[in-house]
Amino acid sequence: LCVGRADLIVRQAVISEAHEHYDMLVESFWKEQSFHGLKFPVNPEKVDAYIRAYIENGVVLSAYDDGLVGSFAIKVQGMWWSDVPVAKDGWFYVRKEGRPKASLALLKAVKDRFKDMPLFVGVFNTDDQDRKDKFFTRKGFRRVGGWYVNQGDK
């Protein structure tokens, strides 16, 4: 998969790019997240292993526009109560300078890729829920607790 939009390229990540995702998530994503004032130290080995597990055993789509500006990690798995496969995110993050173009391109690419199953995107660690609510509901998602769910083409 490689999709281009003007200067923006969306493509699947490979393991040699794990460090780019690590840098973006630790340096940008982590600093933006409020966790409602809670402070948790970053465990570099755990973050690295998490990113590598998604690249190797899931799908990580990357958006590039003069460097990595965002990525969306997905794994297909069942919910704890069902055998029905669903696509669930590990993270969906776009640096401020890549919004909204990269956010929209990544979301479209993920929805296209997983159109035959429900897609669950969790939003749990932010104080700007209203902005995220508008973004996802405009794109056909329903809010269910802290999840945004799109039923796909089924």
Side-chain angles (χ1 to χ4, degrees), residues 74 79 81 86-89 118-122 141 147-150:
I74 299 286
M79 302 302 257
W81 66 87
V86 299
K88 290 172 59 179
D89 82 307
L119 172 59
F120 284 70
V121 181
F141 285 76
W147 293 100
Y148 288 90
V149 181
N150 184 281

Side-chain angles (χ1 to χ4, degrees), residues 26-45:
V26 170
E27 294 170 10
S28 298
F29 171 82
W30 182 250
K31 290 179 181 171
E32 283 184 32
Q33 303 312 303
S34 68
F35 292 97
H36 306 288
L38 299 173
K39 301 293 181 196
F40 296 99
V42 172
N43 177 328
E45 291 81 21

